[in-house]
Amino acid sequence: MDLKLKALTKSIWVFHAATSPCNNCDIEILDLLTPRHDVERLGIVLVGSVRQADALLVTGVPNYKTKERLKKLYAQAPKPCLVAAIGGCACGRIIFQESYNSPCAVDEIIPVDVYIPGCPPKPEAMIAGIAKLIKKVRGEK
Amino acid sequence: MLKLFFQYLIFPGFLFSACVGLIAGWIDRKVSARIQWRVGPPWYQNFVDIVKLLGKETIVPEGAKLTFLFSPFLGLLSLILVATILGLNMYSAPAGFSGDIIVILYLLTVPALAVIMGASSSRNPLASIGASREMKLVLGYELPFILAVIAVIIRSEGAIKIGSVLGHQINAGSNLASWSGALAFLVAIICMQAKLGLVPFDMSEAEQEIMGGAFIEYSGLPLAIFKLTKAILLYTMPLFLISLFWGEGLSILALTGKYIAILVIIILIKNTNPRLRIDQALRFFWGPVTILAVIAVVLALFGI
């Protein structure tokens, strides 16, 4: 396991990509970043620019407009870049599967590394998902 | 020649100052976390951040020129020079040259110029807003900062040499113990906060409004260099202030204690203030702070 990936797992800077969510998951993500859960102890910091991001937190079902934006965002992020789909919509489109304005799920646009289901998922569930993501990157079981 | 390279690259230059600065940055993050009732990151967090950034892809925006990649190094190289000059004066027998205070004052503005250059060459509208704010901030804080340094120079009988300023303080007591010195120190602390780009003067990289501002297009290696520059600045500026105002008794233990005291002042200012608008900051620096600095210079002329 090389130093590059090891350093990446110790300091994940996240960028919040909202692709037309209902705002519920976004509020839970903000909860995750509050002092109560304190993800900075794991090295996780919210950054403003996608150029500095190591992980995209994608929420919501992509529609025709945000689909293109999400593609662009992923292309703009420096690799290696991880993607976490947060909430039921981003994981599998749940009730919007037959909807006229949802052409595809998130993982049909960009490669998703970890799925965190829930409507909305609790901050604890997101921390558990990130722990799984770190294990996956390190190649552990 | 080899000795010069050693001094520039290892001690007291690049390696030493970067390590101290990164650990000081961790103290900043940890104390902020404790103030907000959190646990905070482990001590090696800033080192890991730098290593991670070195391993990431570097993206150069379309149409950006060589200045985009060149400017972070410009800031870092000039700052290492400041750290070396200061360190040689502080840790061993005074080894400066006449006029090194002026050289340091010039070199300390180069990191801000590097941020402006890099931001303006990155072809991003938000970055250019960040650059323009940084420019106005430089215009704001340079005047009172130089006045504060002039007050010190007057107090040490016109010596523009770090060694002589230190020598004067060893003979006649710290500048901080006099009225003019204390006022100038207050002014210098405020200007240092702006030079470090910390709250309440972090409007050039305001994450909430302009998304990282000047650094919005930076990724990978150049961003790591900018982070290192900030870390070394966090080591150099308090050291410069100690040498100018608090130069009495510079054993290793006393120096560490003084450094940590100034660091605590920085962290407390950072955690108890909201961000100012750029016009408020400019009015603040050209109004009350400059008046305080002028009073300090006048008091120094009367020898109080």
mmCIF file of all heavy atoms in Angstrom, chain B residues 10-49:
data_model
loop_
_atom_site.group_PDB
_atom_site.id
_atom_site.type_symbol
_atom_site.label_atom_id
_atom_site.label_comp_id
_atom_site.label_asym_id
_atom_site.label_seq_id
_atom_site.Cartn_x
_atom_site.Cartn_y
_atom_site.Cartn_z
ATOM 1 N N ILE B 10 17.950 23.463 5.495
ATOM 2 C CA ILE B 10 17.625 22.606 6.635
ATOM 3 C C ILE B 10 17.442 23.413 7.918
ATOM 4 O O ILE B 10 16.317 23.600 8.380
ATOM 5 C CB ILE B 10 18.692 21.504 6.795
ATOM 6 C CG1 ILE B 10 18.659 20.633 5.534
ATOM 7 C CG2 ILE B 10 18.391 20.657 8.018
ATOM 8 C CD1 ILE B 10 19.716 19.618 5.453
ATOM 9 N N PHE B 11 18.503 23.935 8.495
ATOM 10 C CA PHE B 11 18.356 24.703 9.735
ATOM 11 C C PHE B 11 19.097 26.014 9.610
ATOM 12 O O PHE B 11 20.256 25.996 9.236
ATOM 13 C CB PHE B 11 18.906 23.897 10.927
ATOM 14 C CG PHE B 11 18.750 24.604 12.234
ATOM 15 C CD1 PHE B 11 17.566 24.496 12.939
ATOM 16 C CD2 PHE B 11 19.769 25.410 12.729
ATOM 17 C CE1 PHE B 11 17.399 25.157 14.136
ATOM 18 C CE2 PHE B 11 19.601 26.078 13.920
ATOM 19 C CZ PHE B 11 18.417 25.954 14.630
ATOM 20 N N PRO B 12 18.515 27.170 9.914
ATOM 21 C CA PRO B 12 17.121 27.387 10.342
ATOM 22 C C PRO B 12 16.184 27.705 9.180
ATOM 23 O O PRO B 12 15.180 28.371 9.378
ATOM 24 C CB PRO B 12 17.258 28.588 11.252
ATOM 25 C CG PRO B 12 18.401 29.352 10.660
ATOM 26 C CD PRO B 12 19.291 28.392 9.969
ATOM 27 N N GLY B 13 16.510 27.197 7.994
ATOM 28 C CA GLY B 13 15.714 27.534 6.817
ATOM 29 C C GLY B 13 14.515 26.642 6.623
ATOM 30 O O GLY B 13 13.719 26.447 7.536
ATOM 31 N N PHE B 14 14.413 26.051 5.426
ATOM 32 C CA PHE B 14 13.177 25.427 4.970
ATOM 33 C C PHE B 14 12.652 24.330 5.885
ATOM 34 O O PHE B 14 11.552 24.431 6.428
ATOM 35 C CB PHE B 14 13.406 24.867 3.560
ATOM 36 C CG PHE B 14 12.240 24.109 3.029
ATOM 37 C CD1 PHE B 14 11.036 24.743 2.833
ATOM 38 C CD2 PHE B 14 12.345 22.767 2.744
ATOM 39 C CE1 PHE B 14 9.953 24.053 2.351
ATOM 40 C CE2 PHE B 14 11.268 22.070 2.257
ATOM 41 C CZ PHE B 14 10.067 22.713 2.066
ATOM 42 N N LEU B 15 13.470 23.276 6.102
ATOM 43 C CA LEU B 15 12.942 22.090 6.776
ATOM 44 C C LEU B 15 12.495 22.410 8.192
ATOM 45 O O LEU B 15 11.364 22.087 8.595
ATOM 46 C CB LEU B 15 14.028 21.009 6.788
ATOM 47 C CG LEU B 15 13.520 19.597 7.004
ATOM 48 C CD1 LEU B 15 12.649 19.173 5.849
ATOM 49 C CD2 LEU B 15 14.673 18.637 7.153
ATOM 50 N N PHE B 16 13.358 23.101 8.936
ATOM 51 C CA PHE B 16 13.037 23.413 10.326
ATOM 52 C C PHE B 16 11.806 24.301 10.415
ATOM 53 O O PHE B 16 10.854 24.010 11.150
ATOM 54 C CB PHE B 16 14.248 24.101 10.966
ATOM 55 C CG PHE B 16 14.009 24.567 12.365
ATOM 56 C CD1 PHE B 16 13.952 23.659 13.404
ATOM 57 C CD2 PHE B 16 13.846 25.915 12.634
ATOM 58 C CE1 PHE B 16 13.726 24.085 14.698
ATOM 59 C CE2 PHE B 16 13.616 26.350 13.929
ATOM 60 C CZ PHE B 16 13.563 25.435 14.962
ATOM 61 N N SER B 17 11.791 25.379 9.622
ATOM 62 C CA SER B 17 10.672 26.321 9.739
ATOM 63 C C SER B 17 9.370 25.692 9.270
ATOM 64 O O SER B 17 8.305 25.940 9.843
ATOM 65 C CB SER B 17 10.967 27.599 8.963
ATOM 66 O OG SER B 17 11.274 27.299 7.646
ATOM 67 N N ALA B 18 9.455 24.811 8.240
ATOM 68 C CA ALA B 18 8.228 24.160 7.776
ATOM 69 C C ALA B 18 7.675 23.244 8.854
ATOM 70 O O ALA B 18 6.467 23.225 9.114
ATOM 71 C CB ALA B 18 8.499 23.381 6.499
ATOM 72 N N CYS B 19 8.572 22.478 9.523
ATOM 73 C CA CYS B 19 8.099 21.565 10.571
ATOM 74 C C CYS B 19 7.463 22.346 11.712
ATOM 75 O O CYS B 19 6.357 22.029 12.157
ATOM 76 C CB CYS B 19 9.254 20.716 11.090
ATOM 77 S SG CYS B 19 9.720 19.424 9.950
ATOM 78 N N VAL B 20 8.164 23.409 12.177
ATOM 79 C CA VAL B 20 7.606 24.199 13.280
ATOM 80 C C VAL B 20 6.277 24.829 12.857
ATOM 81 O O VAL B 20 5.298 24.815 13.608
ATOM 82 C CB VAL B 20 8.612 25.286 13.722
ATOM 83 C CG1 VAL B 20 7.978 26.179 14.775
ATOM 84 C CG2 VAL B 20 9.849 24.651 14.276
ATOM 85 N N GLY B 21 6.233 25.342 11.616
ATOM 86 C CA GLY B 21 5.014 26.005 11.151
ATOM 87 C C GLY B 21 3.853 25.036 11.048
ATOM 88 O O GLY B 21 2.730 25.367 11.445
ATOM 89 N N LEU B 22 4.120 23.806 10.553
ATOM 90 C CA LEU B 22 3.025 22.838 10.428
ATOM 91 C C LEU B 22 2.520 22.421 11.804
ATOM 92 O O LEU B 22 1.316 22.245 12.013
ATOM 93 C CB LEU B 22 3.488 21.618 9.635
ATOM 94 C CG LEU B 22 3.671 21.861 8.140
ATOM 95 C CD1 LEU B 22 4.257 20.654 7.463
ATOM 96 C CD2 LEU B 22 2.352 22.209 7.492
ATOM 97 N N ILE B 23 3.450 22.274 12.766
ATOM 98 C CA ILE B 23 3.012 21.904 14.112
ATOM 99 C C ILE B 23 2.243 23.068 14.746
ATOM 100 O O ILE B 23 1.227 22.860 15.421
ATOM 101 C CB ILE B 23 4.219 21.456 14.953
ATOM 102 C CG1 ILE B 23 4.651 20.085 14.454
ATOM 103 C CG2 ILE B 23 3.855 21.385 16.424
ATOM 104 C CD1 ILE B 23 5.829 19.509 15.147
ATOM 105 N N ALA B 24 2.693 24.307 14.477
ATOM 106 C CA ALA B 24 1.943 25.465 14.976
ATOM 107 C C ALA B 24 0.549 25.496 14.358
ATOM 108 O O ALA B 24 -0.436 25.824 15.043
ATOM 109 C CB ALA B 24 2.689 26.754 14.660
ATOM 110 N N GLY B 25 0.454 25.128 13.065
ATOM 111 C CA GLY B 25 -0.851 25.064 12.419
ATOM 112 C C GLY B 25 -1.740 24.025 13.082
ATOM 113 O O GLY B 25 -2.944 24.225 13.237
ATOM 114 N N TRP B 26 -1.109 22.895 13.515
ATOM 115 C CA TRP B 26 -1.894 21.887 14.228
ATOM 116 C C TRP B 26 -2.378 22.443 15.573
ATOM 117 O O TRP B 26 -3.534 22.232 15.950
ATOM 118 C CB TRP B 26 -1.068 20.625 14.463
ATOM 119 C CG TRP B 26 -1.729 19.738 15.453
ATOM 120 C CD1 TRP B 26 -2.852 19.003 15.243
ATOM 121 C CD2 TRP B 26 -1.369 19.549 16.818
ATOM 122 N NE1 TRP B 26 -3.197 18.345 16.398
ATOM 123 C CE2 TRP B 26 -2.310 18.659 17.384
ATOM 124 C CE3 TRP B 26 -0.339 20.029 17.624
ATOM 125 C CZ2 TRP B 26 -2.247 18.258 18.707
ATOM 126 C CZ3 TRP B 26 -0.274 19.617 18.935
ATOM 127 C CH2 TRP B 26 -1.226 18.742 19.469
ATOM 128 N N ILE B 27 -1.485 23.163 16.299
ATOM 129 C CA ILE B 27 -1.902 23.752 17.585
ATOM 130 C C ILE B 27 -3.106 24.659 17.353
ATOM 131 O O ILE B 27 -4.092 24.627 18.095
ATOM 132 C CB ILE B 27 -0.735 24.545 18.217
ATOM 133 C CG1 ILE B 27 0.375 23.594 18.618
ATOM 134 C CG2 ILE B 27 -1.212 25.311 19.444
ATOM 135 C CD1 ILE B 27 1.606 24.283 19.130
ATOM 136 N N ASP B 28 -3.041 25.442 16.268
ATOM 137 C CA ASP B 28 -4.159 26.325 15.920
ATOM 138 C C ASP B 28 -5.449 25.527 15.736
ATOM 139 O O ASP B 28 -6.486 25.835 16.329
ATOM 140 C CB ASP B 28 -3.770 27.096 14.649
ATOM 141 C CG ASP B 28 -4.920 27.861 14.062
ATOM 142 O OD1 ASP B 28 -5.875 28.138 14.812
ATOM 143 O OD2 ASP B 28 -4.866 28.181 12.871
ATOM 144 N N ARG B 29 -5.373 24.446 14.933
ATOM 145 C CA ARG B 29 -6.575 23.649 14.676
ATOM 146 C C ARG B 29 -7.080 22.977 15.941
ATOM 147 O O ARG B 29 -8.288 22.897 16.189
ATOM 148 C CB ARG B 29 -6.277 22.589 13.612
ATOM 149 C CG ARG B 29 -6.243 23.162 12.212
ATOM 150 C CD ARG B 29 -5.741 22.172 11.210
ATOM 151 N NE ARG B 29 -6.782 21.255 10.792
ATOM 152 C CZ ARG B 29 -6.660 20.453 9.740
ATOM 153 N NH1 ARG B 29 -5.576 20.505 9.008
ATOM 154 N NH2 ARG B 29 -7.617 19.637 9.413
ATOM 155 N N LYS B 30 -6.149 22.475 16.754
ATOM 156 C CA LYS B 30 -6.532 21.747 17.963
ATOM 157 C C LYS B 30 -7.202 22.698 18.964
ATOM 158 O O LYS B 30 -8.253 22.373 19.527
ATOM 159 C CB LYS B 30 -5.271 21.120 18.573
ATOM 160 C CG LYS B 30 -5.524 20.259 19.775
ATOM 161 C CD LYS B 30 -6.025 18.896 19.371
ATOM 162 C CE LYS B 30 -6.217 18.017 20.590
ATOM 163 N NZ LYS B 30 -6.807 16.729 20.219
ATOM 164 N N VAL B 31 -6.573 23.885 19.177
ATOM 165 C CA VAL B 31 -7.135 24.816 20.153
ATOM 166 C C VAL B 31 -8.497 25.315 19.674
ATOM 167 O O VAL B 31 -9.443 25.410 20.467
ATOM 168 C CB VAL B 31 -6.154 25.982 20.409
ATOM 169 C CG1 VAL B 31 -6.798 27.043 21.264
ATOM 170 C CG2 VAL B 31 -4.919 25.469 21.087
ATOM 171 N N SER B 32 -8.622 25.587 18.356
ATOM 172 C CA SER B 32 -9.929 25.983 17.820
ATOM 173 C C SER B 32 -10.952 24.893 18.094
ATOM 174 O O SER B 32 -12.096 25.171 18.474
ATOM 175 C CB SER B 32 -9.850 26.230 16.323
ATOM 176 O OG SER B 32 -8.856 27.142 16.017
ATOM 177 N N ALA B 33 -10.539 23.620 17.902
ATOM 178 C CA ALA B 33 -11.457 22.511 18.146
ATOM 179 C C ALA B 33 -11.873 22.473 19.606
ATOM 180 O O ALA B 33 -13.049 22.282 19.923
ATOM 181 C CB ALA B 33 -10.797 21.196 17.743
ATOM 182 N N ARG B 34 -10.922 22.653 20.508
ATOM 183 C CA ARG B 34 -11.265 22.607 21.925
ATOM 184 C C ARG B 34 -12.197 23.762 22.296
ATOM 185 O O ARG B 34 -13.087 23.602 23.129
ATOM 186 C CB ARG B 34 -10.006 22.646 22.798
ATOM 187 C CG ARG B 34 -9.141 21.430 22.710
ATOM 188 C CD ARG B 34 -9.901 20.132 22.877
ATOM 189 N NE ARG B 34 -10.483 19.979 24.197
ATOM 190 C CZ ARG B 34 -11.475 19.151 24.497
ATOM 191 N NH1 ARG B 34 -12.006 18.403 23.559
ATOM 192 N NH2 ARG B 34 -11.928 19.078 25.720
ATOM 193 N N ILE B 35 -11.975 24.939 21.680
ATOM 194 C CA ILE B 35 -12.858 26.077 21.959
ATOM 195 C C ILE B 35 -14.274 25.741 21.515
ATOM 196 O O ILE B 35 -15.236 26.108 22.172
ATOM 197 C CB ILE B 35 -12.323 27.342 21.254
ATOM 198 C CG1 ILE B 35 -11.060 27.820 21.952
ATOM 199 C CG2 ILE B 35 -13.367 28.458 21.263
ATOM 200 C CD1 ILE B 35 -10.373 28.951 21.263
ATOM 201 N N GLN B 36 -14.406 24.995 20.384
ATOM 202 C CA GLN B 36 -15.738 24.629 19.895
ATOM 203 C C GLN B 36 -16.226 23.316 20.485
ATOM 204 O O GLN B 36 -17.148 22.705 19.949
ATOM 205 C CB GLN B 36 -15.703 24.515 18.366
ATOM 206 C CG GLN B 36 -15.416 25.820 17.686
ATOM 207 C CD GLN B 36 -14.966 25.638 16.260
ATOM 208 O OE1 GLN B 36 -14.964 24.527 15.739
ATOM 209 N NE2 GLN B 36 -14.596 26.720 15.614
ATOM 210 N N TRP B 37 -15.565 22.832 21.582
ATOM 211 C CA TRP B 37 -15.996 21.617 22.276
ATOM 212 C C TRP B 37 -15.871 20.388 21.391
ATOM 213 O O TRP B 37 -16.720 19.517 21.382
ATOM 214 C CB TRP B 37 -17.442 21.802 22.757
ATOM 215 C CG TRP B 37 -17.693 21.189 24.093
ATOM 216 C CD1 TRP B 37 -18.483 20.107 24.346
ATOM 217 C CD2 TRP B 37 -17.157 21.588 25.343
ATOM 218 N NE1 TRP B 37 -18.474 19.810 25.680
ATOM 219 C CE2 TRP B 37 -17.672 20.703 26.316
ATOM 220 C CE3 TRP B 37 -16.280 22.595 25.755
ATOM 221 C CZ2 TRP B 37 -17.349 20.800 27.674
ATOM 222 C CZ3 TRP B 37 -15.964 22.698 27.097
ATOM 223 C CH2 TRP B 37 -16.489 21.816 28.028
ATOM 224 N N ARG B 38 -14.824 20.329 20.567
ATOM 225 C CA ARG B 38 -14.569 19.159 19.727
ATOM 226 C C ARG B 38 -13.287 18.499 20.180
ATOM 227 O O ARG B 38 -12.624 18.973 21.096
ATOM 228 C CB ARG B 38 -14.403 19.586 18.262
ATOM 229 C CG ARG B 38 -15.621 20.165 17.635
ATOM 230 C CD ARG B 38 -15.416 20.342 16.158
ATOM 231 N NE ARG B 38 -14.656 21.527 15.811
ATOM 232 C CZ ARG B 38 -13.612 21.506 15.004
ATOM 233 N NH1 ARG B 38 -13.196 20.395 14.482
ATOM 234 N NH2 ARG B 38 -12.981 22.631 14.717
ATOM 235 N N VAL B 39 -12.912 17.408 19.506
ATOM 236 C CA VAL B 39 -11.660 16.728 19.830
ATOM 237 C C VAL B 39 -10.521 17.299 18.984
ATOM 238 O O VAL B 39 -9.440 17.582 19.482
ATOM 239 C CB VAL B 39 -11.781 15.212 19.591
ATOM 240 C CG1 VAL B 39 -10.482 14.528 19.909
ATOM 241 C CG2 VAL B 39 -12.886 14.648 20.443
ATOM 242 N N GLY B 40 -10.770 17.469 17.697
ATOM 243 C CA GLY B 40 -9.748 18.032 16.836
ATOM 244 C C GLY B 40 -8.854 16.971 16.221
ATOM 245 O O GLY B 40 -8.880 15.809 16.609
ATOM 246 N N PRO B 41 -8.073 17.378 15.197
ATOM 247 C CA PRO B 41 -7.264 16.422 14.439
ATOM 248 C C PRO B 41 -6.026 15.977 15.211
ATOM 249 O O PRO B 41 -5.607 16.654 16.144
ATOM 250 C CB PRO B 41 -6.878 17.218 13.198
ATOM 251 C CG PRO B 41 -6.903 18.629 13.640
ATOM 252 C CD PRO B 41 -7.954 18.737 14.683
ATOM 253 N N PRO B 42 -5.428 14.821 14.829
ATOM 254 C CA PRO B 42 -4.176 14.392 15.449
ATOM 255 C C PRO B 42 -3.004 15.280 15.045
ATOM 256 O O PRO B 42 -3.108 16.032 14.077
ATOM 257 C CB PRO B 42 -3.993 12.969 14.922
ATOM 258 C CG PRO B 42 -4.747 12.941 13.659
ATOM 259 C CD PRO B 42 -5.909 13.858 13.823
ATOM 260 N N TRP B 43 -1.870 15.163 15.759
ATOM 261 C CA TRP B 43 -0.784 16.133 15.579
ATOM 262 C C TRP B 43 -0.170 16.090 14.197
ATOM 263 O O TRP B 43 0.393 17.075 13.728
ATOM 264 C CB TRP B 43 0.305 15.935 16.645
ATOM 265 C CG TRP B 43 1.074 14.666 16.505
ATOM 266 C CD1 TRP B 43 0.788 13.478 17.082
ATOM 267 C CD2 TRP B 43 2.242 14.452 15.716
ATOM 268 N NE1 TRP B 43 1.683 12.529 16.707
ATOM 269 C CE2 TRP B 43 2.601 13.104 15.878
ATOM 270 C CE3 TRP B 43 3.027 15.258 14.893
ATOM 271 C CZ2 TRP B 43 3.694 12.548 15.236
ATOM 272 C CZ3 TRP B 43 4.123 14.697 14.257
ATOM 273 C CH2 TRP B 43 4.455 13.361 14.429
ATOM 274 N N TYR B 44 -0.261 14.937 13.504
ATOM 275 C CA TYR B 44 0.408 14.841 12.204
ATOM 276 C C TYR B 44 -0.509 15.265 11.062
ATOM 277 O O TYR B 44 -0.166 15.088 9.901
ATOM 278 C CB TYR B 44 0.906 13.411 11.970
ATOM 279 C CG TYR B 44 -0.154 12.356 12.208
ATOM 280 C CD1 TYR B 44 -1.115 12.081 11.251
ATOM 281 C CD2 TYR B 44 -0.200 11.666 13.408
ATOM 282 C CE1 TYR B 44 -2.088 11.141 11.482
ATOM 283 C CE2 TYR B 44 -1.177 10.721 13.651
ATOM 284 C CZ TYR B 44 -2.116 10.451 12.680
ATOM 285 O OH TYR B 44 -3.093 9.531 12.906
ATOM 286 N N GLN B 45 -1.694 15.830 11.390
ATOM 287 C CA GLN B 45 -2.693 16.097 10.354
ATOM 288 C C GLN B 45 -2.165 16.983 9.222
ATOM 289 O O GLN B 45 -2.338 16.691 8.050
ATOM 290 C CB GLN B 45 -3.922 16.737 10.984
ATOM 291 C CG GLN B 45 -5.077 16.894 10.023
ATOM 292 C CD GLN B 45 -5.544 15.563 9.493
ATOM 293 O OE1 GLN B 45 -5.849 14.659 10.239
ATOM 294 N NE2 GLN B 45 -5.560 15.422 8.177
ATOM 295 N N ASN B 46 -1.460 18.069 9.573
ATOM 296 C CA ASN B 46 -1.004 18.996 8.532
ATOM 297 C C ASN B 46 0.059 18.357 7.647
ATOM 298 O O ASN B 46 0.103 18.613 6.440
ATOM 299 C CB ASN B 46 -0.460 20.276 9.160
ATOM 300 C CG ASN B 46 -1.586 21.167 9.625
ATOM 301 O OD1 ASN B 46 -2.664 21.163 9.042
ATOM 302 N ND2 ASN B 46 -1.356 21.924 10.678
ATOM 303 N N PHE B 47 0.925 17.500 8.236
ATOM 304 C CA PHE B 47 1.930 16.802 7.422
ATOM 305 C C PHE B 47 1.232 15.878 6.428
ATOM 306 O O PHE B 47 1.591 15.813 5.251
ATOM 307 C CB PHE B 47 2.865 15.992 8.327
ATOM 308 C CG PHE B 47 3.703 16.830 9.228
ATOM 309 C CD1 PHE B 47 3.290 17.130 10.506
ATOM 310 C CD2 PHE B 47 4.907 17.334 8.790
ATOM 311 C CE1 PHE B 47 4.064 17.912 11.341
ATOM 312 C CE2 PHE B 47 5.695 18.122 9.605
ATOM 313 C CZ PHE B 47 5.261 18.413 10.885
ATOM 314 N N VAL B 48 0.196 15.155 6.925
ATOM 315 C CA VAL B 48 -0.536 14.247 6.047
ATOM 316 C C VAL B 48 -1.192 15.023 4.910
ATOM 317 O O VAL B 48 -1.180 14.594 3.757
ATOM 318 C CB VAL B 48 -1.586 13.461 6.860
ATOM 319 C CG1 VAL B 48 -2.469 12.659 5.933
ATOM 320 C CG2 VAL B 48 -0.912 12.550 7.834
ATOM 321 N N ASP B 49 -1.759 16.197 5.236
ATOM 322 C CA ASP B 49 -2.394 17.013 4.203
ATOM 323 C C ASP B 49 -1.396 17.352 3.098
ATOM 324 O O ASP B 49 -1.713 17.237 1.912
ATOM 325 C CB ASP B 49 -2.922 18.320 4.818
ATOM 326 C CG ASP B 49 -4.192 18.094 5.603
ATOM 327 O OD1 ASP B 49 -4.720 16.978 5.543
ATOM 328 O OD2 ASP B 49 -4.640 19.028 6.280
#
